[in-house]
Amino acid sequence: MFRSLKIKEPNIEIMTTKTNSTTVENHDSMFDAVIARLDVAAKIYGLSDDVTTILRNPQKQVKVSLPVMMDDGKLQVFEGFRTVHSTVLGPSKGGIRYAMDVCDDEVKALSAWMTFKCAVANLPYGGAKGGIKCDPRKMSIGELERLTKAYTVALADVFGPTTDIPAPDMGTSGREMAWLVEAYNKVHRGNFPGVTTGKPVGLGGSLGRDAATGRGVMVATLAALKKMNLNAKDVTCAVQGFGNVGSHAARLLHEQGIKICAIGDHTATIWNENGIDIKAALNYVKENGNVLKGFTGGDEIKAAELLTANVDVLVPAALQNVITEEIAHHIKAKLIIEGANGPTTPEADAILQDKKVIVVPDILANGGGVTVSYFEWVQNNAGYYWPEDEVNAKHDASMNLAFESVWNNGQQYKTTMRIGAYITALKKVELGIKARGNF
Ligand code: NAD
């Protein structure tokens, strides 16, 4: 097991023993948590106050009311949000989330992360995020279609293939993106597949997009293990979340020889110290309403136990803020690959840093999705579509490049990979802001 192995890589020593402090203040707001990390990175890197101030303030925030006729004949008004954090490096890019806890603060935070994520991934994009406060599981397909089209029409002047390009996120998928394109096309009287990404294949979607975020998690895991002089075949792993990111990540990590000992979703958490048969789990989920409940490929454990399980690698790929201060004290994994956005609180970060746990941060680890979204947009603009092998090869090369930049910045500034990732992004955004000048 990894814990008993000596890590020989000298760079790891630098990173884990003499790091600059990344401690941040306590906060309630998710956006404040992003800004707290931005401030830490800005200080360590030496970013000018002017650029920091620009990045502390999202460029555009829109809130819309969406009246939708429900199946029972009653009208319901939903709240929709879109925040464009930055367009310094290109049109803003970011998903649309359908969930009951969607709010202004969350969308703002996620939009800023997208600015940094796109910059880390070397994409010519800025950052945005959107969402609708709703419970998609309790709505019919017809209601969801009407809601998605109402949201698109309300934001038809914000979205655009060269201005602001959405994508799926929690609670949305290619289906919603197809509806969005349809509504946008009607408003703007044309055919604009590049107005969004994550579309179904055949309707302008890219091969490889569906698995891309999980694939990026796999590539980032292998790159991190290499830095630690560890072989994938000697490593165990737990994956929280078995949706788009978690299920593809578990499958691809398993294919690399990593033993997946724990998987979990909102219905069940499964532990098998001999390794879970991921193919069987995927088949089970497919045939049982997309949930793990009832899967018999291991013992059922409590949800929180997955995060502190006795494994080498932990992949949170479900919710934000799950690795709290309390959980961080009990984490046994020595490598965390953040498939989800914001799974680790800033307070937990400090504890993990003290424990010398390497955290490959969300803005790097889950950047595979937006990278292939970019490829989808490039294919839409060119009207020429690539085979899946080509998409995957370009994706892997891009992820490895991003990983190296983040790693090197972490080493150069004697800080964690998270702050190294922010510095990687800040260098690019700073260049863009300074080169463009201001009013
Ligand atoms: P999804 O809706 O496909 O899957 C979410 C999974 O989390 C489901 O398996 C669900 O059961 C599980 N889950 C929900 N509540 C849980 C709980 N309390 N405990 C354990 N599991 C729980 O969503 P997704 O697209 O896989 O996104 C997951 C995370 O990854 C989100 O933070 C999202 O922002 C992030 N992300 C997604 C993409 C993408 O391309 N889909 C890209 C980057 C980041």
Side-chain angles (χ1 to χ4, degrees), residues 97 110 117 129 137 168-171 209-210 213 240-246 264-267 269 290 303 317-320 339-342 366-367 369-370:
R97 181 174 280 199
L110 292 165
K117 193 184 296 186
K129 203 79 183 189
R137 287 189 204 141
D169 192 70
M170 276 170 87
R209 173 61 184 91
D210 198 38
T213 309
Q240 186 194 50
F242 211 64
N244 177 281
V245 182
D265 70 2
H266 69 287
T267 65
T269 307
N290 274 331
L319 307 171
Q320 59 229 25
N341 282 316
N366 68 35
V370 72

mmCIF file of all heavy atoms in Angstrom, residues 97 110 117 129 137 168-171 209-210 213 240-246 264-267 269 290 303 317-320 339-342 366-367 369-370, ligand 1:
data_model
loop_
_atom_site.group_PDB
_atom_site.id
_atom_site.type_symbol
_atom_site.label_atom_id
_atom_site.label_comp_id
_atom_site.label_asym_id
_atom_site.label_seq_id
_atom_site.Cartn_x
_atom_site.Cartn_y
_atom_site.Cartn_z
ATOM 1 N N ARG A 97 -26.565 24.393 -14.206
ATOM 2 C CA ARG A 97 -26.895 23.423 -13.150
ATOM 3 C C ARG A 97 -28.371 23.530 -12.792
ATOM 4 O O ARG A 97 -28.884 24.634 -12.635
ATOM 5 C CB ARG A 97 -26.003 23.773 -11.953
ATOM 6 C CG ARG A 97 -26.139 22.917 -10.765
ATOM 7 C CD ARG A 97 -25.097 23.300 -9.728
ATOM 8 N NE ARG A 97 -23.790 22.747 -10.026
ATOM 9 C CZ ARG A 97 -22.811 22.610 -9.142
ATOM 10 N NH1 ARG A 97 -22.980 23.030 -7.914
ATOM 11 N NH2 ARG A 97 -21.667 22.077 -9.479
ATOM 12 N N LEU A 110 -18.835 29.374 -8.975
ATOM 13 C CA LEU A 110 -18.531 28.414 -10.040
ATOM 14 C C LEU A 110 -18.052 29.138 -11.302
ATOM 15 O O LEU A 110 -17.223 28.623 -12.051
ATOM 16 C CB LEU A 110 -19.761 27.543 -10.336
ATOM 17 C CG LEU A 110 -20.156 26.585 -9.198
ATOM 18 C CD1 LEU A 110 -21.560 26.042 -9.423
ATOM 19 C CD2 LEU A 110 -19.176 25.431 -9.074
ATOM 20 N N LYS A 117 -10.182 27.568 -14.424
ATOM 21 C CA LYS A 117 -10.077 26.229 -15.021
ATOM 22 C C LYS A 117 -9.708 26.320 -16.499
ATOM 23 O O LYS A 117 -8.841 25.589 -16.982
ATOM 24 C CB LYS A 117 -11.426 25.503 -14.860
ATOM 25 C CG LYS A 117 -11.342 24.023 -15.145
ATOM 26 C CD LYS A 117 -12.695 23.356 -15.082
ATOM 27 C CE LYS A 117 -13.294 23.426 -13.698
ATOM 28 N NZ LYS A 117 -14.551 22.651 -13.601
ATOM 29 N N LYS A 129 -21.025 30.659 -15.411
ATOM 30 C CA LYS A 129 -21.808 29.537 -14.880
ATOM 31 C C LYS A 129 -23.254 29.970 -14.818
ATOM 32 O O LYS A 129 -23.558 31.151 -14.639
ATOM 33 C CB LYS A 129 -21.322 29.144 -13.482
ATOM 34 C CG LYS A 129 -21.662 27.719 -13.096
ATOM 35 C CD LYS A 129 -20.716 26.732 -13.721
ATOM 36 C CE LYS A 129 -21.086 25.306 -13.390
ATOM 37 N NZ LYS A 129 -20.044 24.366 -13.817
ATOM 38 N N ARG A 137 -35.508 16.057 -10.801
ATOM 39 C CA ARG A 137 -36.006 14.682 -10.593
ATOM 40 C C ARG A 137 -37.515 14.663 -10.376
ATOM 41 O O ARG A 137 -38.160 13.634 -10.541
ATOM 42 C CB ARG A 137 -35.325 14.042 -9.373
ATOM 43 C CG ARG A 137 -33.877 13.678 -9.663
ATOM 44 C CD ARG A 137 -33.299 12.848 -8.515
ATOM 45 N NE ARG A 137 -31.844 12.992 -8.513
ATOM 46 C CZ ARG A 137 -31.079 13.094 -7.441
ATOM 47 N NH1 ARG A 137 -31.615 13.088 -6.250
ATOM 48 N NH2 ARG A 137 -29.782 13.208 -7.539
ATOM 49 N N PRO A 168 -23.512 21.276 -20.130
ATOM 50 C CA PRO A 168 -24.247 20.623 -19.035
ATOM 51 C C PRO A 168 -23.461 20.664 -17.719
ATOM 52 O O PRO A 168 -22.245 20.781 -17.735
ATOM 53 C CB PRO A 168 -24.381 19.164 -19.500
ATOM 54 C CG PRO A 168 -23.860 19.099 -20.886
ATOM 55 C CD PRO A 168 -23.012 20.301 -21.105
ATOM 56 N N ASP A 169 -24.169 20.595 -16.629
ATOM 57 C CA ASP A 169 -23.548 20.424 -15.306
ATOM 58 C C ASP A 169 -24.514 19.545 -14.511
ATOM 59 O O ASP A 169 -25.345 18.845 -15.116
ATOM 60 C CB ASP A 169 -23.307 21.792 -14.651
ATOM 61 C CG ASP A 169 -22.411 21.685 -13.421
ATOM 62 O OD1 ASP A 169 -21.219 21.406 -13.590
ATOM 63 O OD2 ASP A 169 -22.911 21.851 -12.285
ATOM 64 N N MET A 170 -24.458 19.604 -13.186
ATOM 65 C CA MET A 170 -25.319 18.734 -12.381
ATOM 66 C C MET A 170 -26.789 18.940 -12.751
ATOM 67 O O MET A 170 -27.264 20.067 -12.827
ATOM 68 C CB MET A 170 -25.131 19.024 -10.893
ATOM 69 C CG MET A 170 -23.951 18.273 -10.322
ATOM 70 S SD MET A 170 -23.581 18.827 -8.681
ATOM 71 C CE MET A 170 -24.670 17.786 -7.748
ATOM 72 N N GLY A 171 -27.479 17.862 -13.011
ATOM 73 C CA GLY A 171 -28.911 17.925 -13.289
ATOM 74 C C GLY A 171 -29.248 18.239 -14.738
ATOM 75 O O GLY A 171 -30.429 18.304 -15.096
ATOM 76 N N ARG A 209 -16.897 13.356 -25.565
ATOM 77 C CA ARG A 209 -17.265 14.405 -24.603
ATOM 78 C C ARG A 209 -17.882 13.813 -23.344
ATOM 79 O O ARG A 209 -17.598 14.259 -22.235
ATOM 80 C CB ARG A 209 -18.238 15.418 -25.252
ATOM 81 C CG ARG A 209 -18.818 16.456 -24.272
ATOM 82 C CD ARG A 209 -17.730 17.306 -23.642
ATOM 83 N NE ARG A 209 -18.212 18.238 -22.639
ATOM 84 C CZ ARG A 209 -18.305 17.980 -21.336
ATOM 85 N NH1 ARG A 209 -17.970 16.790 -20.865
ATOM 86 N NH2 ARG A 209 -18.718 18.913 -20.492
ATOM 87 N N ASP A 210 -18.718 12.785 -23.535
ATOM 88 C CA ASP A 210 -19.431 12.211 -22.402
ATOM 89 C C ASP A 210 -18.467 11.722 -21.309
ATOM 90 O O ASP A 210 -18.682 11.962 -20.127
ATOM 91 C CB ASP A 210 -20.305 11.044 -22.909
ATOM 92 C CG ASP A 210 -21.369 10.696 -21.902
ATOM 93 O OD1 ASP A 210 -21.901 11.641 -21.278
ATOM 94 O OD2 ASP A 210 -21.641 9.494 -21.710
ATOM 95 N N THR A 213 -14.627 14.223 -18.702
ATOM 96 C CA THR A 213 -14.225 14.683 -17.369
ATOM 97 C C THR A 213 -13.630 13.512 -16.576
ATOM 98 O O THR A 213 -12.588 13.659 -15.922
ATOM 99 C CB THR A 213 -15.419 15.325 -16.629
ATOM 100 O OG1 THR A 213 -15.998 16.306 -17.489
ATOM 101 C CG2 THR A 213 -14.993 15.985 -15.349
ATOM 102 N N GLN A 240 -16.293 8.838 -4.855
ATOM 103 C CA GLN A 240 -17.607 9.297 -4.398
ATOM 104 C C GLN A 240 -18.372 9.911 -5.561
ATOM 105 O O GLN A 240 -17.879 10.825 -6.204
ATOM 106 C CB GLN A 240 -17.479 10.348 -3.289
ATOM 107 C CG GLN A 240 -18.832 10.723 -2.711
ATOM 108 C CD GLN A 240 -18.795 11.977 -1.860
ATOM 109 O OE1 GLN A 240 -18.280 13.005 -2.255
ATOM 110 N NE2 GLN A 240 -19.347 11.874 -0.664
ATOM 111 N N GLY A 241 -19.567 9.397 -5.826
ATOM 112 C CA GLY A 241 -20.362 9.857 -6.975
ATOM 113 C C GLY A 241 -20.218 8.846 -8.095
ATOM 114 O O GLY A 241 -19.104 8.412 -8.425
ATOM 115 N N PHE A 242 -21.353 8.433 -8.639
ATOM 116 C CA PHE A 242 -21.315 7.450 -9.735
ATOM 117 C C PHE A 242 -22.157 7.959 -10.889
ATOM 118 O O PHE A 242 -22.859 7.221 -11.559
ATOM 119 C CB PHE A 242 -21.795 6.081 -9.214
ATOM 120 C CG PHE A 242 -21.140 4.916 -9.927
ATOM 121 C CD1 PHE A 242 -19.779 4.695 -9.841
ATOM 122 C CD2 PHE A 242 -21.908 4.040 -10.688
ATOM 123 C CE1 PHE A 242 -19.179 3.638 -10.502
ATOM 124 C CE2 PHE A 242 -21.318 2.965 -11.354
ATOM 125 C CZ PHE A 242 -19.948 2.767 -11.254
ATOM 126 N N GLY A 243 -22.096 9.285 -11.092
ATOM 127 C CA GLY A 243 -22.788 9.906 -12.229
ATOM 128 C C GLY A 243 -21.824 10.026 -13.389
ATOM 129 O O GLY A 243 -20.969 9.163 -13.595
ATOM 130 N N ASN A 244 -21.936 11.114 -14.129
ATOM 131 C CA ASN A 244 -21.082 11.274 -15.306
ATOM 132 C C ASN A 244 -19.600 11.200 -14.932
ATOM 133 O O ASN A 244 -18.854 10.396 -15.494
ATOM 134 C CB ASN A 244 -21.406 12.618 -15.986
ATOM 135 C CG ASN A 244 -20.493 12.875 -17.167
ATOM 136 O OD1 ASN A 244 -19.352 13.286 -16.992
ATOM 137 N ND2 ASN A 244 -20.958 12.618 -18.370
ATOM 138 N N VAL A 245 -19.169 12.015 -14.002
ATOM 139 C CA VAL A 245 -17.735 12.086 -13.694
ATOM 140 C C VAL A 245 -17.273 10.816 -12.972
ATOM 141 O O VAL A 245 -16.306 10.157 -13.386
ATOM 142 C CB VAL A 245 -17.418 13.335 -12.826
ATOM 143 C CG1 VAL A 245 -15.927 13.426 -12.560
ATOM 144 C CG2 VAL A 245 -17.913 14.602 -13.502
ATOM 145 N N GLY A 246 -17.976 10.457 -11.888
ATOM 146 C CA GLY A 246 -17.543 9.335 -11.059
ATOM 147 C C GLY A 246 -17.540 8.004 -11.784
ATOM 148 O O GLY A 246 -16.602 7.207 -11.647
ATOM 149 N N GLY A 264 -19.727 5.154 -4.459
ATOM 150 C CA GLY A 264 -20.965 5.547 -3.766
ATOM 151 C C GLY A 264 -21.733 6.588 -4.546
ATOM 152 O O GLY A 264 -21.152 7.346 -5.324
ATOM 153 N N ASP A 265 -23.048 6.581 -4.366
ATOM 154 C CA ASP A 265 -23.876 7.658 -4.910
ATOM 155 C C ASP A 265 -24.834 8.105 -3.814
ATOM 156 O O ASP A 265 -24.631 7.790 -2.636
ATOM 157 C CB ASP A 265 -24.575 7.243 -6.215
ATOM 158 C CG ASP A 265 -25.663 6.201 -6.002
ATOM 159 O OD1 ASP A 265 -25.914 5.816 -4.834
ATOM 160 O OD2 ASP A 265 -26.267 5.788 -7.001
ATOM 161 N N HIS A 266 -25.901 8.843 -4.172
ATOM 162 C CA HIS A 266 -26.780 9.356 -3.113
ATOM 163 C C HIS A 266 -27.673 8.267 -2.532
ATOM 164 O O HIS A 266 -28.373 8.504 -1.554
ATOM 165 C CB HIS A 266 -27.622 10.528 -3.633
ATOM 166 C CG HIS A 266 -28.649 10.133 -4.650
ATOM 167 N ND1 HIS A 266 -28.323 9.789 -5.944
ATOM 168 C CD2 HIS A 266 -29.994 10.013 -4.565
ATOM 169 C CE1 HIS A 266 -29.429 9.493 -6.609
ATOM 170 N NE2 HIS A 266 -30.454 9.619 -5.789
ATOM 171 N N THR A 267 -27.642 7.055 -3.106
ATOM 172 C CA THR A 267 -28.515 5.986 -2.597
ATOM 173 C C THR A 267 -27.747 4.895 -1.835
ATOM 174 O O THR A 267 -28.335 4.202 -1.000
ATOM 175 C CB THR A 267 -29.283 5.301 -3.737
ATOM 176 O OG1 THR A 267 -28.337 4.634 -4.602
ATOM 177 C CG2 THR A 267 -30.097 6.287 -4.554
ATOM 178 N N THR A 269 -23.477 3.242 -0.662
ATOM 179 C CA THR A 269 -22.015 3.279 -0.711
ATOM 180 C C THR A 269 -21.510 1.844 -0.531
ATOM 181 O O THR A 269 -21.921 1.155 0.402
ATOM 182 C CB THR A 269 -21.465 4.193 0.418
ATOM 183 O OG1 THR A 269 -22.122 5.457 0.315
ATOM 184 C CG2 THR A 269 -19.979 4.406 0.280
ATOM 185 N N ASN A 290 -30.336 4.197 -12.720
ATOM 186 C CA ASN A 290 -29.166 5.049 -12.471
ATOM 187 C C ASN A 290 -28.770 5.158 -11.010
ATOM 188 O O ASN A 290 -28.172 6.161 -10.615
ATOM 189 C CB ASN A 290 -29.386 6.466 -13.026
ATOM 190 C CG ASN A 290 -29.014 6.543 -14.485
ATOM 191 O OD1 ASN A 290 -28.139 5.786 -14.929
ATOM 192 N ND2 ASN A 290 -29.680 7.396 -15.233
ATOM 193 N N ALA A 303 -22.178 6.455 4.044
ATOM 194 C CA ALA A 303 -21.669 7.357 3.001
ATOM 195 C C ALA A 303 -20.363 8.046 3.425
ATOM 196 O O ALA A 303 -19.407 8.105 2.654
ATOM 197 C CB ALA A 303 -22.732 8.387 2.655
ATOM 198 N N ALA A 317 -16.297 12.914 -6.494
ATOM 199 C CA ALA A 317 -16.844 13.259 -7.818
ATOM 200 C C ALA A 317 -18.353 13.430 -7.730
ATOM 201 O O ALA A 317 -19.092 13.009 -8.619
ATOM 202 C CB ALA A 317 -16.472 12.184 -8.835
ATOM 203 N N ALA A 318 -18.810 14.040 -6.623
ATOM 204 C CA ALA A 318 -20.254 14.252 -6.468
ATOM 205 C C ALA A 318 -20.541 15.699 -6.099
ATOM 206 O O ALA A 318 -20.916 16.495 -6.951
ATOM 207 C CB ALA A 318 -20.816 13.301 -5.434
ATOM 208 N N LEU A 319 -20.345 16.028 -4.829
ATOM 209 C CA LEU A 319 -20.820 17.310 -4.294
ATOM 210 C C LEU A 319 -19.672 18.210 -3.865
ATOM 211 O O LEU A 319 -18.546 17.744 -3.684
ATOM 212 C CB LEU A 319 -21.694 17.047 -3.060
ATOM 213 C CG LEU A 319 -22.835 16.064 -3.211
ATOM 214 C CD1 LEU A 319 -23.434 15.771 -1.844
ATOM 215 C CD2 LEU A 319 -23.890 16.657 -4.130
ATOM 216 N N GLN A 320 -20.029 19.488 -3.630
ATOM 217 C CA GLN A 320 -19.037 20.399 -3.077
ATOM 218 C C GLN A 320 -19.014 20.295 -1.552
ATOM 219 O O GLN A 320 -19.951 19.785 -0.937
ATOM 220 C CB GLN A 320 -19.323 21.840 -3.487
ATOM 221 C CG GLN A 320 -20.664 22.342 -3.062
ATOM 222 C CD GLN A 320 -21.409 23.007 -4.206
ATOM 223 O OE1 GLN A 320 -21.179 22.732 -5.375
ATOM 224 N NE2 GLN A 320 -22.324 23.881 -3.855
ATOM 225 N N GLY A 339 -12.561 15.387 -8.681
ATOM 226 C CA GLY A 339 -13.439 15.273 -9.851
ATOM 227 C C GLY A 339 -14.572 16.283 -9.772
ATOM 228 O O GLY A 339 -14.955 16.897 -10.761
ATOM 229 N N ALA A 340 -15.118 16.480 -8.568
ATOM 230 C CA ALA A 340 -16.203 17.455 -8.361
ATOM 231 C C ALA A 340 -15.623 18.860 -8.301
ATOM 232 O O ALA A 340 -14.414 19.039 -8.143
ATOM 233 C CB ALA A 340 -16.937 17.149 -7.067
ATOM 234 N N ASN A 341 -16.488 19.839 -8.409
ATOM 235 C CA ASN A 341 -16.082 21.227 -8.195
ATOM 236 C C ASN A 341 -16.190 21.551 -6.715
ATOM 237 O O ASN A 341 -17.248 21.339 -6.111
ATOM 238 C CB ASN A 341 -16.999 22.171 -8.981
ATOM 239 C CG ASN A 341 -16.650 22.207 -10.455
ATOM 240 O OD1 ASN A 341 -15.484 22.273 -10.822
ATOM 241 N ND2 ASN A 341 -17.659 22.146 -11.302
ATOM 242 N N GLY A 342 -15.108 22.009 -6.136
ATOM 243 C CA GLY A 342 -15.128 22.492 -4.747
ATOM 244 C C GLY A 342 -15.437 21.455 -3.690
ATOM 245 O O GLY A 342 -16.123 21.772 -2.710
ATOM 246 N N ASN A 366 -10.671 18.281 -13.021
ATOM 247 C CA ASN A 366 -11.892 18.033 -13.803
ATOM 248 C C ASN A 366 -11.952 18.898 -15.065
ATOM 249 O O ASN A 366 -13.008 19.058 -15.671
ATOM 250 C CB ASN A 366 -13.156 18.124 -12.935
ATOM 251 C CG ASN A 366 -13.443 19.531 -12.431
ATOM 252 O OD1 ASN A 366 -13.187 20.509 -13.116
ATOM 253 N ND2 ASN A 366 -14.005 19.621 -11.236
ATOM 254 N N GLY A 367 -10.789 19.373 -15.493
ATOM 255 C CA GLY A 367 -10.727 20.212 -16.698
ATOM 256 C C GLY A 367 -10.863 19.441 -18.000
ATOM 257 O O GLY A 367 -10.939 20.043 -19.073
ATOM 258 N N GLY A 369 -13.408 17.868 -19.088
ATOM 259 C CA GLY A 369 -14.727 18.110 -19.673
ATOM 260 C C GLY A 369 -14.728 19.372 -20.520
ATOM 261 O O GLY A 369 -15.152 19.361 -21.682
ATOM 262 N N VAL A 370 -14.204 20.444 -19.950
ATOM 263 C CA VAL A 370 -14.235 21.708 -20.702
ATOM 264 C C VAL A 370 -13.229 21.662 -21.863
ATOM 265 O O VAL A 370 -13.437 22.293 -22.900
ATOM 266 C CB VAL A 370 -14.033 22.937 -19.767
ATOM 267 C CG1 VAL A 370 -12.615 23.062 -19.261
ATOM 268 C CG2 VAL A 370 -14.432 24.210 -20.501
HETATM 269 P P1 NAD B 1 -24.162 13.761 -12.068
HETATM 270 O O1 NAD B 1 -25.453 14.393 -11.750
HETATM 271 O O2 NAD B 1 -24.006 13.010 -13.336
HETATM 272 O O3 NAD B 1 -23.708 12.764 -10.890
HETATM 273 C C1 NAD B 1 -23.657 13.166 -9.565
HETATM 274 C C2 NAD B 1 -23.422 11.928 -8.718
HETATM 275 O O4 NAD B 1 -23.291 12.317 -7.370
HETATM 276 C C3 NAD B 1 -24.582 10.917 -8.769
HETATM 277 O O5 NAD B 1 -24.057 9.606 -8.794
HETATM 278 C C4 NAD B 1 -25.290 11.170 -7.439
HETATM 279 O O6 NAD B 1 -25.988 10.045 -6.971
HETATM 280 C C5 NAD B 1 -24.097 11.470 -6.565
HETATM 281 N N1 NAD B 1 -24.482 12.112 -5.316
HETATM 282 C C6 NAD B 1 -25.403 13.077 -5.115
HETATM 283 N N2 NAD B 1 -25.533 13.333 -3.809
HETATM 284 C C7 NAD B 1 -24.662 12.510 -3.179
HETATM 285 C C8 NAD B 1 -24.344 12.285 -1.828
HETATM 286 N N3 NAD B 1 -24.938 12.976 -0.849
HETATM 287 N N4 NAD B 1 -23.395 11.346 -1.541
HETATM 288 C C9 NAD B 1 -22.807 10.639 -2.517
HETATM 289 N N5 NAD B 1 -23.072 10.802 -3.808
HETATM 290 C C10 NAD B 1 -23.990 11.729 -4.138
HETATM 291 O O7 NAD B 1 -23.084 14.957 -11.963
HETATM 292 P P2 NAD B 1 -21.645 15.012 -12.614
HETATM 293 O O8 NAD B 1 -21.748 15.658 -13.951
HETATM 294 O O9 NAD B 1 -20.976 13.679 -12.470
HETATM 295 O O10 NAD B 1 -20.955 16.087 -11.656
HETATM 296 C C11 NAD B 1 -20.386 15.726 -10.419
HETATM 297 C C12 NAD B 1 -19.447 16.851 -9.986
HETATM 298 O O11 NAD B 1 -18.459 17.042 -10.990
HETATM 299 C C13 NAD B 1 -20.101 18.225 -9.798
HETATM 300 O O12 NAD B 1 -19.409 18.911 -8.778
HETATM 301 C C14 NAD B 1 -19.845 18.927 -11.131
HETATM 302 O O13 NAD B 1 -19.867 20.330 -11.015
HETATM 303 C C15 NAD B 1 -18.457 18.402 -11.413
HETATM 304 N N6 NAD B 1 -18.063 18.480 -12.819
HETATM 305 C C16 NAD B 1 -18.770 17.853 -13.797
HETATM 306 C C17 NAD B 1 -18.318 17.913 -15.113
HETATM 307 C C18 NAD B 1 -19.011 17.177 -16.214
HETATM 308 O O14 NAD B 1 -18.508 17.219 -17.361
HETATM 309 N N7 NAD B 1 -20.108 16.479 -15.974
HETATM 310 C C19 NAD B 1 -17.183 18.666 -15.430
HETATM 311 C C20 NAD B 1 -16.482 19.293 -14.394
HETATM 312 C C21 NAD B 1 -16.933 19.185 -13.089
#
